[in-house]
Amino acid sequence: MDLYGKIILEEVGSMELNWAKCSHWSFWRVFPLMFVLISINNILYNWELPLFGFYEFEDLGRLLFVVSLSACESAFLTHVLIWVFKKIKGTAAKHNG
């Protein structure tokens, strides 16, 4: 392995995931509801998966793609909703106090 590859591995190996903000209790209470609603919407209406059928391995891949896309969309919307809620709560606390 060359020097550039070793530098890349050292940088990637030293990165740490900070799950402190992501694992907040409010995220895990809102995320499942958002995930179910967005998944149903994407599967039945946006991608219209019931019209295709599940006869090939490609159909399973399409379903997994839609579900993973729904999970990403749900996580993003959950973070946005929590952020907006905290901003509203902070603004209300400033006006009351």
Side-chain angles (χ1 to χ4, degrees):
M1 182 180 298
D2 60 341
L3 181 61
Y4 181 73
K6 288 182 182 179
I7 293 173
I8 296 294
L9 283 176
E10 288 176 6
E11 288 179 7
V12 171
S14 66
M15 288 190 322
E16 296 179 15
L17 293 174
N18 187 5
W19 287 99
K21 293 180 182 177
C22 183
S23 63
H24 195 264
W25 66 270
S26 59
F27 177 82
W28 293 111
R29 289 193 180 197
V30 177
F31 177 75
L33 177 66
M34 294 287 289
F35 179 65
V36 168
L37 293 175
I38 289 175
S39 295
I40 290 171
N41 184 39
N42 283 342
I43 289 172
L44 296 179
Y45 301 111
N46 291 346
W47 286 78
E48 298 176 349
L49 291 183
L51 299 178
F52 289 103
F54 294 98
Y55 304 111
E56 298 178 8
F57 197 63
E58 177 186 349
D59 299 328
L60 177 63
R62 184 182 295 125
L63 180 64
L64 290 175
F65 177 74
V66 171
V67 169
S68 62
L69 194 64
S70 299
C72 293
E73 187 177 351
S74 301
F76 176 73
L77 288 176
T78 302
H79 281 293
V80 168
L81 284 175
I82 291 172
W83 180 76
V84 167
F85 179 73
K86 286 182 180 180
K87 289 294 181 183
I88 292 172
K89 187 177 175 183
T91 305
K94 285 181 184 178
H95 288 299
N96 290 337

